[in-house]
Amino acid sequence: MEQNMNVQDTIEELIEIGMEIAKSQSLELSINRKEELVLRHIKAFSKKEARITDFQPGLEWFNVAEGLSIYQHLKGKIVILDFFTYCCINCMHVLSDLDVLEKLFSIQDGLVIVGVHSAKFSNEKNSRKLLSAVQRYNIKHPVVNDTTMSMWHYLGIVCWPTLIMLGPTGELLAVFVGEGHRDELIIHVGVALTYFRSLNKIHTNDIPLQLAQHLLPVGNGNILFPSKLEILQNGEGESLVIADTGHNRILVTDTTGNVQHIIGGPNPDFKDGNFETAKFNAPQGVSTLDNLIYVADTKNHAIRKIDLIRKIVITIAGTGIKGHDYVGGKIGKDQVLSSPWDLAVYKHENGNNIIPVLLIAMAGNHQIWALFLEDTIWWKNKGYKEGTCLAIVGSGTEENRNNTYPYSAGLAQPSGITIAEELKIAVFADSESSTIRSINLQNGHVLAICGGSRNPLDLHDYGDLDGVNYAVKLQHPLGVAWHPKENIIYVTDTYNHKIKIINVITKQCKTIYGYGIPNENFFFDEPSGIAISPEKGFLYIADTNNHAVKMIDTEKGNITTLPINVPIIETDNNYKNVYFFDTTISETGGKLNVLFSINFSDRDLKLNPDAPQKWAINLTTNSSGWVGVENCGELSNPVSLRFFKGNGTHEVRVILDIVACKSTECISKKLLIVYHIHQVPDASTIVTEKRKVVVK
């Protein structure tokens, strides 16, 4: 107990000193002077020898082959403990800072970052859900699931995110509360490494990394962590716009899943251009207007516009860098934004004209913003020029505060928004308060619809209860959609894995799909987005962690997975390891079975027996002469293809996704095998081959 109090006292002292150092960092001091202040601080606290207890045994770890110990694996390292919960937008912002740190200082240099997941919501305690979050956010450092928050309570931490820096023998050196400490972190880590290296206390050994990315679906033909979707109505009928977030792209399909456009992807970047050259970074919300698609390009902190006629992507707001502006008012690309998460086009009646206004659920600022697409006059007869982007609802303080004055309302990470045109309101999913709330689009009044607590400061009142108004309990809802014919709101109650409907007038909420309701076919995994086709009576659900879009026929009550077959867009040049094989099979049809034997040019590399080694198949063109018996499998099982009667050559691309290890380091590799299968007379109807592949 005495040691615990000593540690917590040290934490409190470090927080106070950290605030003083942060103030000095903001002053126009030279880098040398800032480093001197930090060095003096680090020397003082390293002598106090306030060392923390080790991680509890038996916790589940990710991105490592075994659980880590501060006093074994991490001895001789500067360690940053990132206390986070994966729902938290501020925690997501910190990840980009940590990514910069990892690029500047490697494990061999002496820095190790450990994510200590301390869940806010009960759903987040589930290790399978946390694994999906680690993959979705592309976290590459070790993460431990501290389900009981033992380290959190032991250190006396009070908010997410909090970062704690440890010295090479587990001593407390610094504490950073909240986001926005990138420069301070860089200076602290650089100074600490230099100082302790001069004392010969920094070790250059590796740790047993084993990234979780290899557990993701194989191949480019899948969608990956889809987040939001929307119906596109134009002269050609009805299409579906899907934010394929994990592939950093937007897909446009018909309502049966046939892909019409692939825009952006696969790697994150921030570029305007045509559909092939444009780049996004984890796009989320999409909204449509005629032949235009507006995109909340979340990690680029920007709003992008896709023109389906001209086939180009342009940025219409945001700079590509996260801002801290809670007012706005600049034009277009001069206005900084912070993690826009969802969009909705409001058709504003301005006299005899209908003027489109793009509403933005600005999760990073806990506000609702507006981007005026044309000159217009809005609340209190104030005029706005085309391109003006500014906050219209929310103080920026994270809370669940409703108010008749829109700027005095407090929001908590709004993540979904829709327009109920008939009622002249916008409805938004306020995820961190687990509520559904509304904005009167004529005067800005913010009102509660259902969920959450009456106490505006209570952001922990969540659960899974149907009912009316505050009796309703939700858990981190992310998606909302308005059904104009039924006058109801559909909600993706994300962390309850359910779809619910809400009568906006009566505030009655009812579960209709999910978690086995109404039957065993209705199971989702953190569904994030929802779209409605009122004419056809179909719901489309972005079933995020299942990497799928689900379609529900509301009249017949059945559910299907939309078969989205994305044509392969990667070329041979995208792979470091490409192999070409030919074989023949009978023109009467037959079966080809291929097993692959993996060898490495680096003899120290070995396949990791504990990691799944996978394959997937793709064709460059549609062919009626073949059928894949399997679409994806383990490397120990043969790639199996059945061919119908035909002739000519079929090109099959096999993507091998393997994990290899050397010493304590594990790496994932993707290999492309281009197989040319020739159907000719007098060839065998059953061909079994074992192909040796040497990986560089």
Side-chain angles (χ1 to χ4, degrees):
M1 178 64 71
E2 183 177 344
Q3 182 193 12
N4 187 26
M5 291 300 296
N6 181 41
V7 166
Q8 292 192 6
D9 289 343
T10 304
I11 292 286
E12 291 178 6
E13 188 178 355
L14 283 169
I15 291 173
E16 291 179 6
I17 292 176
M19 293 172 66
E20 293 177 8
I21 291 178
K23 289 178 183 177
S24 70
Q25 300 288 9
S26 65
L27 300 176
E28 294 183 4
L29 301 176
S30 68
I31 292 295
N32 288 341
R33 180 58 181 148
K34 291 179 180 180
E35 290 178 344
E36 286 174 7
L37 291 172
V38 172
L39 178 59
R40 185 190 309 160
H41 160 75
I42 286 175
K43 284 182 176 179
F45 275 85
S46 64
K47 292 175 181 177
K48 289 190 175 186
E49 297 187 343
R51 293 181 172 83
I52 72 169
T53 188
D54 212 338
F55 298 110
Q56 283 190 342
L59 298 178
E60 290 194 74
W61 286 78
F62 305 92
N63 285 339
V64 285
E66 61 189 63
L68 301 184
S69 164
I70 292 173
Y71 298 104
Q72 295 177 33
H73 306 87
L74 304 181
K75 184 178 180 180
K77 304 291 187 186
I78 300 301
V79 179
I80 300 290
L81 300 180
D82 173 27
F83 289 84
F84 77 110
T85 183
Y86 74 75
C87 67
C88 161
I89 190 67
N90 309 93
C91 301
M92 297 178 208
H93 291 163
V94 165
L95 290 175
S96 63
D97 296 338
L98 299 181
D99 185 57
V100 170
L101 272 182
E102 289 173 305
K103 288 181 170 64
L104 289 173
F105 309 103
S106 69
I107 292 172
Q108 292 75 24
D109 291 332
L111 173 68
V112 178
I113 296 169
V114 177
V116 185
H117 190 257
S118 310
K120 170 183 175 178
F121 291 101
S122 57
N123 174 73
E124 295 177 291
K125 294 180 181 180
N126 185 316
S127 287
R128 191 165 64 88
K129 310 305 180 190
L130 176 55
L131 170 61
S132 292
V134 168
Q135 296 167 326
R136 188 162 68 244
Y137 301 152
N138 198 26
I139 298 174
K140 296 179 180 178
H141 51 255
V143 174
V144 59
N145 190 12
D146 189 3
T147 54
T148 63
M149 301 178 76
S150 58
M151 188 70 83
W152 172 287
H153 295 305
Y154 164 70
L155 293 173
I157 294 172
V158 295
C159 73
W160 301 277
T162 295
L163 296 98
I164 291 181
M165 187 169 83
L166 305 178
T169 54
E171 60 269 45
L172 289 161
L173 296 180
V175 178
F176 308 89
V177 178
E179 61 172 287
H181 300 287
R182 178 181 296 185
D183 292 342
E184 297 162 65
L185 284 164
I186 291 171
I187 290 177
H188 275 73
V189 171
V191 168
L193 286 172
T194 301
Y195 172 64
F196 288 108
R197 195 178 289 122
S198 71
L199 302 178
N200 294 319
K201 290 186 176 182
I202 296 297
H203 299 170
T204 60
N205 60 291
D206 286 322
I207 62 172
L209 281 180
Q210 181 176 296
L211 299 186
Q213 293 301 108
H214 69 275
L215 299 172
L216 288 169
V218 184
N220 194 57
N222 302 295
I223 59 175
L224 189 64
F225 296 114
S227 56
K228 302 286 187 181
L229 32 69
E230 190 57 86
I231 300 291
L232 171 68
Q233 299 276 7
N234 56 25
E236 299 178 1
E238 201 171 71
S239 298
L240 191 63
V241 181
I242 304 166
D244 187 8
T245 305
H247 286 138
N248 304 293
R249 65 188 177 188
I250 304 298
L251 300 179
V252 181
T253 77
D254 65 19
T255 52
T256 62
N258 294 314
V259 175
Q260 298 168 333
H261 301 288
I262 303 171
I263 308 159
N267 299 315
D269 208 336
F270 185 37
K271 291 182 181 178
D272 290 346
N274 60 38
F275 286 3
E276 290 74 31
T277 59
K279 296 292 182 183
F280 302 90
N281 192 350
Q284 293 276 342
V286 288
S287 188
T288 63
L289 180 66
D290 300 323
N291 285 298
L292 301 174
I293 302 169
Y294 296 97
V295 181
D297 194 6
T298 304
K299 284 191 177 181
N300 279 328
H301 311 286
I303 306 299
R304 318 289 292 282
K305 181 173 74 173
I306 299 170
D307 188 323
L308 293 175
I309 302 300
R310 299 167 61 198
K311 291 184 169 53
I312 61 169
V313 178
I314 62 172
T315 301
I316 59 174
T319 64
I321 299 173
K322 182 174 71 70
H324 302 281
D325 188 348
Y326 291 88
V327 178
K330 293 186 173 64
I331 302 294
K333 293 191 290 183
D334 291 332
Q335 178 59 58
V336 294
L337 307 178
S338 180
S339 296
W341 208 270
D342 200 14
L343 305 172
V345 174
Y346 168 50
K347 296 176 181 177
H348 170 52
E349 295 180 12
N350 184 17
N352 295 324
N353 299 318
I354 301 296
I355 305 297
V357 179
L358 188 67
L359 300 186
I360 307 167
M362 198 73 73
N365 280 353
H366 311 294
Q367 294 176 309
I368 304 297
W369 283 47
L371 175 60
F372 293 92
L373 302 177
E374 299 177 21
D375 292 352
T376 190
I377 296 174
W378 211 18
W379 296 339
K380 297 184 179 180
N381 291 319
K382 186 173 181 180
Y384 298 93
K385 291 184 178 180
E386 178 182 343
T388 303
C389 188
L390 77 165
I392 60 168
V393 174
S395 63
T397 301
E398 188 176 11
E399 55 188 9
N400 177 22
R401 188 179 299 279
N402 300 302
N403 206 294
T404 56
Y405 297 97
Y407 293 111
S408 297
L411 315 185
Q413 202 171 313
S415 301
I417 189 166
T418 189
I419 308 296
E421 295 279 0
E422 294 79 358
L423 302 178
K424 296 190 184 313
I425 63 172
V427 177
F428 64 97
D430 205 41
S431 61
E432 282 297 288
S433 65
S434 295
T435 63
I436 305 299
R437 303 162 71 184
S438 69
I439 305 165
N440 186 312
L441 293 174
Q442 294 179 301
N443 54 30
H445 295 180
V446 179
L447 300 173
I449 295 179
C450 67
S453 171
R454 294 180 185 273
N455 179 355
L457 301 181
D458 183 2
L459 301 182
H460 294 261
D461 193 355
Y462 67 88
D464 185 11
L465 288 174
D466 293 348
V468 179
N469 201 226
Y470 289 108
V472 173
K473 298 304 168 196
L474 309 170
Q475 188 179 183
H476 198 73
L478 289 177
V480 285
W482 168 249
H483 195 310
K485 289 191 173 182
E486 298 181 7
N487 291 326
I488 57 175
I489 296 291
Y490 283 83
V491 177
T492 58
D493 192 2
T494 304
Y495 284 2
N496 285 324
H497 318 289
K498 292 181 176 181
I499 308 301
K500 299 182 178 181
I501 56 172
I502 300 171
N503 185 309
V504 179
I505 305 300
T506 66
K507 301 183 180 181
Q508 177 82 36
C509 177
K510 178 183 177 182
T511 301
I512 55 170
Y513 304 117
Y515 213 72
I517 299 171
N519 59 57
E520 67 275 6
N521 293 321
F522 288 90
F523 278 92
F524 304 105
D525 193 343
E526 294 191 4
S528 298
I530 186 166
I532 298 169
S533 174
E535 299 300 326
K536 297 182 179 180
F538 289 159
L539 293 177
Y540 297 92
I541 314 294
D543 195 5
T544 302
N545 287 351
N546 282 326
H547 313 292
V549 170
K550 301 292 178 58
M551 183 171 67
I552 300 174
D553 185 331
T554 57
E555 292 183 3
K556 296 180 180 178
N558 57 20
I559 182 172
T560 56
T561 297
L562 203 64
I564 301 172
N565 298 309
V566 182
I568 188 166
I569 61 174
E570 291 180 306
T571 66
D572 298 350
N573 294 330
N574 293 122
Y575 293 87
K576 292 183 179 178
N577 293 275
V578 184
Y579 310 87
F580 297 88
F581 297 116
D582 285 73
T583 195
T584 58
I585 201 166
S586 173
E587 65 181 7
T588 62
K591 189 175 182 181
L592 170 66
N593 299 301
V594 187
L595 272 172
F596 293 101
S597 172
I598 306 295
N599 296 273
F600 297 94
S601 56
D602 183 344
R603 295 185 179 181
D604 292 332
L605 275 176
K606 307 291 182 185
L607 284 177
N608 183 346
D610 298 322
Q613 318 292 338
K614 303 176 182 178
W615 56 258
I617 58 174
N618 273 302
L619 284 190
T620 54
T621 58
N622 292 326
S623 173
S624 60
W626 70 280
V627 59
V629 177
E630 296 284 353
N631 290 321
C632 182
E634 295 291 331
L635 196 61
S636 57
N637 298 324
V639 175
S640 186
L641 292 170
R642 189 182 303 277
F643 289 81
F644 298 126
K645 183 178 181 180
N647 53 50
T649 299
H650 308 283
E651 184 178 285
V652 177
R653 293 186 169 215
V654 183
I655 300 169
L656 302 184
D657 197 349
I658 64 173
V659 180
C661 296
K662 177 169 61 175
S663 182
T664 58
E665 180 184 7
C666 291
I667 56 175
S668 60
K669 288 179 175 285
K670 284 187 184 292
L671 323 177
L672 174 64
I673 296 170
V674 182
Y675 233 111
H676 292 108
I677 296 98
H678 310 281
Q679 284 193 273
V680 298
D682 303 322
S684 175
T685 58
I686 299 178
V687 177
T688 300
E689 299 181 342
K690 187 171 184 178
R691 294 288 189 174
K692 182 179 179 180
V693 176
V694 179
V695 181
K696 300 175 183 178

